[in-house]
C-alpha cells in the first residue's frame, strides 16, 4: 500500500495510518464492500478519501450532516482537491447543472444529502458519472433501530443495484449488532468485510463527581490541571455566564457557541488554540473540525442527551495519548432538569399532527397540493400565531424533515440579533430625546433584560405586537440605532424557507410516519436512561460502562476512572480526617457535604470523623445546619 501512504503524505502530511485505516483502504481499493465501525474522531474520512484518490473517477459521499459536508469540501479545497456538496436548498435546475459539472469538471468528490436520491432522475444521472467508490457516512441512519433513522437512506439500495461494480463503504460510529446487520441488509451490501476500531481510550479517565457547588469543583480541577480545557454547557447564556464567572476567579476563559459572529468565533477559538486562554466554555456547537491534541480536561456541567454525544465530546481530551480527564459534574436535580430538556420536548403523534395541519394552513396549502413548492417561513410568527411551544414545535418540524416530508432551511430561529453597547442611562436619554421610539425600545428592554450584556436574538413579532408597530418600523429603528452605534445589529437577511417533498395528505401522511415517531421517542428515552445509569451506577468502572453501551463487553476495569480510583483508595484515617476538618472549620462554617468534597472523603468517613469531634465537644452545629468550631 505504498501508493496509499504516498497520497497520505502528499495531501495530508501524515506519515502513517491509524489502525484500522490502512486495512479499510486496502479492502475498498480491492473493490470489496466494506463496513467500518469507528468512533468519531477515529479518522473516518481518510478511509474513503485516500482510496478515492488512488483511482480515476469520482467518489460519491452520502452524508446527512450539511455542516460536516461543507467542512470537508473546504478542507479538500485547501489540499487542492476538487470537491462539491449538493445539499438541500439547491433548485432542481441548479442541481442539474452541478451534476453536469461533476461529469466534466474533474471533480474527485461529490457530497450528497440522502434526500437528493429521492428523485429518480438524480439516480439516473449519478449512474452516468464515473463513480469509483460510494461512501455512506452515518450509515446507521438507514436502520430503523439506529438512533437517527432517515427513510431517505433507504434509497441508497437502489443506487447500489445500479452501481453493482462499485465498492460501497458503510461508515458509522455507533452500531449495535442488530443495527449492523440491518445496515448490511438495507444497503444491500455484498458480504462486506467488517473493520472495527475499539471505543476504548486507555489514557482517558472518566470521572463522575457529585457536587452541590459545581463552580468550586471546576475551580479545583482547573487549578490542578493548567493545560487546555473545554467546558460544555447547556446553552448560549450559560456559556457567557460560566466564562464570566471563571474570569472573575482569575482564569483565562473564553467562550464559543453557534450564535456568535464568525469573527468572534474565530477570535475566541484562536485564543484557545494558541493557549492565550486556558479554558473555552462552549455549547455542543463546538467540536467539528477541532484538532487540538493536548486537551487535558473536558468538563460537562450538565447531563448530556446521550452517551454517543458524551463519548464524542469527552473524547476530545487526550488525543496526544497523555493522561487526560472526561469529567461529568452532577447534582441531584440534574436528572429532572435533563428530562425536561430532552424528553418533555419530544412531540407525540397528536402534537405532530397539529403542527403539520397548522403549517399547511399557515402556508395556505390545500389538500393534495404543495409538492416541490418552496415557501418563505417565519418560525417565530408561526409559533406565536398558534401559541405553540417553540422547542417542541421545532422538534416536530425537524421530524417531518427527517422523514422526508419537507426540507427545512437551516438556522431560521435567529433572524435579528442585537446588543446595546452604551450604558442604560444613555439609552434613557435617547428615549427622552426621541419619544417616537420610546415604546419600541422599552418593549425590547422589558423583554430582553440581558440585552446590555450579550448579543440577543429578538423575536421581532413579539416586539412589534407589544409596541404596536409594524415590522418595518421596528427594523427601521434597529438600523438607525446601529448607525448611531447604540446597538450592534446582525440580521440573517433572508427569511427561512420550507420545501415540501410530497403532497399534503393529512391523516395519511401522519399515520405513515407516526410509527417511526414512537420508535424514535422510545429510543431517545432509552438513551437518556443510559446517561442516568452512567452517572448513578457507582458499582462499576465508568470506562466499562461506556464500552458496554457500545456493545464491547468483557473489558477489564480501567484503573483510572472515578469508580476505580475510589475502589483502590485506602480508607482515610479517622484522626487525620478529624484534624483536616478542624483546619477547614477554622476558616469557615461548612456542611458535611462540603467537607466531604474538599477532603476527598467518603460520606461514611466524613460522618465518622464528625461524630468523634462532636462527642469530644470540639465542634457544634449552628442555626444554618453547618458545622462550626466550639
Ligand atoms: Zn475504571
Amino acid at each position: 500500500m505504498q501508493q496509499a501512504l504516498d497520497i497520505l503524505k502528499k495531501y495530508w502530511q501524515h506519515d502513517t495510518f491509524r489502525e484500522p485505516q490502512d486495512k479499510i483502504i486496502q479492502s475498498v481499493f480491492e473493490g470489496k464492500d466494506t463496513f467500518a465501525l469507528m468512533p468519531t474522531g477515529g479518522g473516518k474520512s481518510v478511509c474513503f478519501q485516500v482510496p478515492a484518490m488512488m483511482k480515476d473517477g469520482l467518489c460519491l459521499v452520502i452524508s446527512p450532516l450539511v455542516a460536516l459536508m461543507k467542512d470537508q469540501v473546504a478542507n479538500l479545497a485547501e489540499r487542492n482537491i476538487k470537491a462539491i456538496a449538493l445539499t438541500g436548498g439547491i433548485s432542481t435546475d441548479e442541481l442539474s447543472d452541478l451534476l453536469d459539472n461533476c461529469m466534466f469538471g474533474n471533480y474527485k468528490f461529490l457530497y450528497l444529502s440522502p434526500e437528493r436520491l429521492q428523485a429518480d432522475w438524480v439516480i439516473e444521472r449519478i449512474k452516468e458519472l464515473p463513480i469509483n467508490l460510494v461512501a455512506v457516512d452515518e450509515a446507521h441512519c438507514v436502520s430503523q433501530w439506529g438512533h437517527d433513522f432517515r427513510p431517505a437512506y433507504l434509497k441508497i439500495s437502489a443506487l447500489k443495484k445500479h452501481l453493482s461494480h462499485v465498492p460501497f463503504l458503510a461508515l458509522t460510529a455507533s452500531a449495535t449488532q442488530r443495527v449492523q446487520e440491518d445496515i448490511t441488509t438495507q444497503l444491500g451490501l455484498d458480504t462486506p468485510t467488517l473493520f472495527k476500531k475499539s471505543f476504548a481510550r486507555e489514557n482517558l479517565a472518566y470521572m463522575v463527581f457529585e457536587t452541590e457547588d459545581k463552580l468550586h469543583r471546576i475551580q479545583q480541577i482547573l487549578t490542578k490541571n493548567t493545560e487546555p480545557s473545554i467546558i460544555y454547557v447547556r446553552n448560549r447564556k450559560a456559556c457567557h455566564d460560566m466564562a464570566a464567572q471563571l474570569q472573575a476567579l482569575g482564569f483565562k476563559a473564553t467562550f464559543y457557541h453557534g450564535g456568535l459572529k464568525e469573527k468572534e468565533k474565530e477570535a475566541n477559538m484562536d485564543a484557545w488554540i494558541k493557549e492565550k486562554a486556558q479554558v473555552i466554555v462552549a455549547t455542543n456547537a463546538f467540536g467539528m473540525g477541532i484538532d487540538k491534541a493536548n486537551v487535558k480536561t473536558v468538563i460537562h456541567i450538565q447531563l448530556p442527551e446521550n452517551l454517543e454525544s458524551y463519548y464524542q465530546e469527552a473524547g476530545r481530551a487526550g488525543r496526544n495519548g497523555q493522561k487526560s480527564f472526561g469529567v461529568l459534574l452532577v447534582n441531584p436535580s440534574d436528572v429532572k432538569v435533563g428530562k425536561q430538556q430532552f424528553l418533555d420536548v419530544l412531540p407525540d403523534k397528536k402534537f405532530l399532527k397539529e403542527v403539520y395541519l397548522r403549517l399547511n394552513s399557515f402556508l395556505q396549502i390545500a389538500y393534495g397540493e404543495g409538492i416541490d413548492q418552496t415557501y418563505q417561513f417565519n418560525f417565530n410568527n408561526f409559533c406565536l400565531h398558534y401559541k405553540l411551544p417553540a422547542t417542541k414545535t421545532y422538534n416536530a418540524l425537524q421530524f417531518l424533515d427527517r422523514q422526508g416530508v419537507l426540507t427545512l432551511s437551516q438556522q431560521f430561529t435567529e433572524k435579528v440579533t442585537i446588543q446595546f453597547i452604551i450604558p442604560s442611562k444613555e439609552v434613557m436619554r435617547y428615549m427622552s430625546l426621541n419619544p417616537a421610539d420610546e415604546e419600541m425600545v422599552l418593549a425590547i428592554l422589558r423583554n430582553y433584560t440581558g440585552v446590555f450584556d450579550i448579543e440577543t436574538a429578538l423575536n421581532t413579532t413579539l416586539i412589534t405586537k407589544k409596541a404596536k408597530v409594524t415590522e418595518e418600523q421596528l427594523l427601521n429603528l434597529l438600523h438607525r440605532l446601529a448607525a448611531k452605534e447604540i446597538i450592534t445589529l446582525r440580521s440573517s437577511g433572508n427569511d427561512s424557507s420550507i420545501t415540501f417533498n410530497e403532497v399534503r395528505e393529512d391523516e395519511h401522511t401522519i399515520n405513515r410516519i407516526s410509527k417511526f415517531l414512537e420508535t424514535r421517542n422510545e429510543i431517545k428515552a432509552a438513551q437518556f436512561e443510559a446517561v442516568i445509569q452512567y452517572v448513578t451506577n457507582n458499582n462499576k468502572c465508568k470506562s466499562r460502562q461506556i464500552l458496554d453501551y457500545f456493545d464491547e463487553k468483557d473489558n477489564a476495569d480501567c484503573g483510572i476512572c472515578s469508580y476505580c480510583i475510589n475502589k483502590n483508595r485506602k480508607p482515610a484515617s479517622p484522626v487525620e480526617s478529624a484534624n483536616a476538618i478542624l483546619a477547614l472549620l477554622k476558616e469557615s462554617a461548612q456542611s458535611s457535604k462540603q467537607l466531604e468534597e474538599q477532603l476527598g472523603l467518603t460520606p461514611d468517613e466524613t460522618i465518622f470523623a464528625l461524630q468523634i469531634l462532636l462527642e469530644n465537644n470540639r465542634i457544634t452545629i449552628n442555626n444554618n445546619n453547618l458545622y462550626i468550631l466550639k
Side-chain angles (χ1 to χ4, degrees):
M1 292 300 278
Q2 192 53 45
Q3 192 194 351
L5 263 181
D6 291 343
I7 286 174
L8 185 74
K9 258 183 226 163
K10 179 171 172 199
Y11 293 101
W12 282 270
Q13 286 86 44
H14 289 304
D15 291 329
T16 49
F17 287 108
R18 282 188 268 165
E19 243 338 90
Q21 284 173 335
D22 46 348
K23 298 199 183 80
I24 295 169
I25 292 167
Q26 172 98 34
S27 167
V28 170
F29 185 70
E30 286 169 2
K32 292 181 199 153
D33 282 350
T34 306
F35 198 124
L37 187 54
M38 304 169 86
T40 310
K44 280 197 296 176
S45 52
V46 163
C47 296
F48 56 83
Q49 287 173 340
V50 169
M53 295 295 291
M54 290 161 73
K55 291 182 180 180
D56 288 337
L58 175 74
C59 171
L60 175 65
V61 186
I62 299 169
S63 167
L65 306 171
V66 176
L68 186 110
M69 286 197 266
K70 288 187 175 156
D71 198 56
Q72 291 203 358
V73 168
N75 207 294
L76 288 165
E78 273 175 28
R79 303 172 201 286
N80 288 319
I81 301 170
K82 277 184 91 171
I84 185 170
L86 304 183
T87 58
I90 297 174
S91 72
T92 307
D93 285 349
E94 223 178 319
L95 181 64
S96 179
D97 289 349
L98 291 169
L99 285 169
D100 271 344
N101 286 352
C102 290
M103 189 76 170
F104 307 108
N106 236 341
Y107 282 92
K108 284 305 291 181
F109 294 91
L110 165 59
Y111 284 80
L112 200 69
S113 294
E115 285 73 21
R116 286 298 181 190
L117 294 171
Q118 241 139 344
D120 288 331
W121 70 267
V122 174
I123 295 190
E124 288 301 315
R125 295 283 293 277
I126 289 172
K127 265 163 64 184
E128 292 163 11
L129 297 174
I131 305 282
N132 61 18
L133 167 64
V134 177
V136 183
D137 203 6
E138 310 290 331
H140 54 271
C141 292
V142 78
S143 170
Q144 225 205 105
W145 311 113
H147 57 87
D148 194 13
F149 174 55
R150 292 162 184 259
Y153 259 66
L154 296 170
K155 269 282 182 181
I156 298 173
S157 66
L159 197 63
K160 175 78 179 131
K161 281 195 197 97
H162 291 301
L163 299 174
S164 54
H165 57 289
V166 177
F168 273 53
L169 170 61
L171 300 134
T172 176
S174 59
T176 57
Q177 189 68 31
R178 183 186 196 180
V179 174
Q180 250 174 67
E181 284 160 16
D182 203 26
I183 292 172
T184 304
T185 314
Q186 300 295 350
L187 292 180
L189 300 183
D190 181 15
T191 50
T193 327
L194 172 70
F195 296 97
K196 200 170 169 174
K197 186 177 162 78
S198 167
F199 280 67
R201 291 283 313 272
E202 273 99 17
N203 62 318
L204 181 61
Y206 293 105
M207 301 289 188
V208 177
F209 296 130
E210 204 177 294
T211 173
E212 276 161 13
D213 189 348
K214 292 184 180 178
L215 184 64
H216 179 69
R217 199 66 198 238
I218 292 171
Q219 189 184 6
Q220 286 181 327
I221 296 169
L222 296 180
T223 308
K224 204 167 158 195
N225 302 288
T226 53
E227 298 95 329
S229 311
I230 307 172
I231 298 179
Y232 279 104
V233 296
R234 201 190 304 285
N235 55 36
R236 293 171 184 184
K237 186 173 177 303
C239 252
H240 294 265
D241 291 351
M242 177 54 72
Q245 284 172 319
L246 289 173
Q247 282 160 4
L249 288 170
F251 291 101
K252 293 199 171 85
T254 183
F255 54 89
Y256 185 102
H257 60 70
L260 295 177
K261 287 182 205 160
E262 280 310 313
K263 252 187 167 169
E264 208 171 350
K265 274 188 196 169
E266 268 171 42
N268 291 2
M269 172 95 108
D270 199 56
W272 179 72
I273 299 261
K274 296 199 173 128
E275 302 184 13
K276 287 174 200 143
Q278 178 192 357
V279 194
I280 190 155
V281 185
T283 63
N284 58 10
F286 182 70
M288 206 175 300
I290 304 172
D291 198 13
K292 189 164 175 62
N294 63 339
V295 178
K296 185 76 172 177
T297 348
V298 175
I299 304 173
H300 283 72
I301 61 171
Q302 279 109 11
L303 296 183
E305 187 173 6
N306 50 50
L307 288 178
E308 281 87 351
S309 55
Y310 182 68
Y311 175 85
Q312 198 175 322
E313 288 163 5
R316 303 214 159 94
R319 291 267 168 88
N320 56 0
Q322 302 282 311
K323 169 92 182 274
S324 57
F325 301 93
V327 182
L328 188 50
L329 299 179
V330 285
N331 68 34
S333 65
D334 282 345
V335 169
K336 197 171 141 232
V337 175
K339 278 192 172 143
Q340 282 166 353
Q341 189 193 0
F342 301 124
L343 302 185
D344 294 353
V345 294
L346 295 176
D348 57 8
K349 183 180 171 182
K350 188 165 158 269
F351 186 79
L352 181 72
K353 190 171 160 190
E354 184 188 348
V355 169
Y356 181 70
L357 294 181
R358 296 255 193 247
L359 181 68
N360 278 296
S361 28
F362 191 68
L363 301 174
Q364 300 180 329
I365 300 168
Y367 191 88
E369 292 182 358
I371 187 166
D372 284 340
Q373 300 290 316
T374 298
Y375 299 86
Q376 294 305 303
F377 181 65
N378 184 313
F379 179 74
N380 289 334
N381 269 349
F382 177 63
C383 291
L384 211 66
H385 189 81
Y386 296 106
K387 298 198 173 53
L388 295 166
T391 310
K392 200 168 174 178
T393 305
Y394 179 77
N395 285 342
L397 290 177
Q398 187 132 49
F399 182 74
L400 291 168
D401 175 293
R402 294 278 164 94
Q403 295 301 314
V405 175
L406 49 81
T407 305
L408 283 178
S409 69
Q410 299 290 306
Q411 290 191 329
F412 56 82
T413 46
E414 264 194 339
K415 228 177 124 195
V416 178
T417 312
I418 69 162
Q419 179 179 357
F420 278 89
I421 45 178
I422 59 170
S424 55
K425 173 162 103 220
E426 293 293 323
V427 177
M428 298 303 153
R429 212 170 85 86
Y430 173 86
M431 282 193 284
S432 63
L433 293 173
N434 301 273
D437 297 339
E438 190 177 15
E439 272 304 309
M440 284 186 277
V441 176
L442 276 178
I444 296 171
L445 296 182
R446 283 193 193 119
N447 285 285
Y448 299 97
T449 44
V451 72
F452 283 96
D453 307 320
I454 57 169
E455 289 202 326
T456 307
L458 290 191
N459 180 338
T460 50
T461 318
L462 178 80
I463 302 299
T464 52
K465 253 194 179 159
K466 298 247 168 177
K468 300 188 182 66
V469 292
T470 64
E471 184 132 350
E472 204 186 4
Q473 285 171 310
L474 176 63
L475 290 176
N476 210 319
L477 167 76
L478 295 178
H479 282 287
R480 276 187 284 122
L481 293 179
K484 289 187 177 140
E485 300 196 327
I486 294 172
I487 61 169
T488 60
L489 170 67
R490 200 151 51 87
S491 73
S492 53
N494 294 327
D495 247 343
S496 65
S497 68
I498 288 188
T499 306
F500 282 76
N501 301 322
E502 42 186 78
V503 296
R504 172 178 176 182
E505 285 189 308
D506 298 357
E507 295 286 334
H508 182 72
T509 308
I510 297 303
N511 287 340
R512 175 170 56 81
I513 61 177
S514 64
K515 59 175 188 286
F516 300 125
L517 182 71
E518 281 155 29
T519 315
R520 190 192 71 144
N521 288 355
E522 280 163 24
I523 290 171
K524 293 241 174 199
Q527 285 179 328
F528 189 64
E529 188 51 45
V531 172
I532 297 174
Q533 276 298 314
Y534 175 72
V535 295
T536 53
N537 181 354
N538 295 321
N539 296 312
K540 188 171 181 181
C541 165
K542 293 295 170 190
S543 170
R544 279 179 67 188
Q545 290 188 39
I546 286 183
L547 293 174
D548 274 3
Y549 180 77
F550 292 115
D551 271 349
E552 279 186 41
K553 312 281 179 195
D554 308 323
N555 286 283
D557 280 4
C558 73
I560 55 173
C561 72
S562 50
Y563 164 84
C564 289
I565 286 182
N566 208 26
K567 187 187 70 175
N568 297 332
R569 84 189 258 280
K570 283 196 220 92
S573 122
V575 177
E576 277 173 28
S577 306
N579 283 332
I581 287 173
L582 288 176
L584 282 176
L585 294 187
K586 208 178 261 179
E587 306 290 322
S588 63
Q590 309 259 2
S591 71
S592 70
K593 192 83 203 157
Q594 286 169 327
L595 291 166
E596 186 185 312
E597 275 177 26
Q598 292 179 76
L599 298 173
L601 300 173
T602 66
D604 284 351
E605 287 166 353
T606 316
I607 287 165
F608 188 66
L610 286 168
Q611 205 78 40
I612 298 175
L613 293 169
L614 283 168
E615 280 164 13
N616 288 297
N617 276 323
R618 301 291 304 274
I619 61 171
T620 184
I621 300 173
N622 72 8
N623 294 337
N624 297 324
N625 262 327
L626 299 175
Y627 292 94
I628 49 171
L629 293 181
K630 207 164 176 178

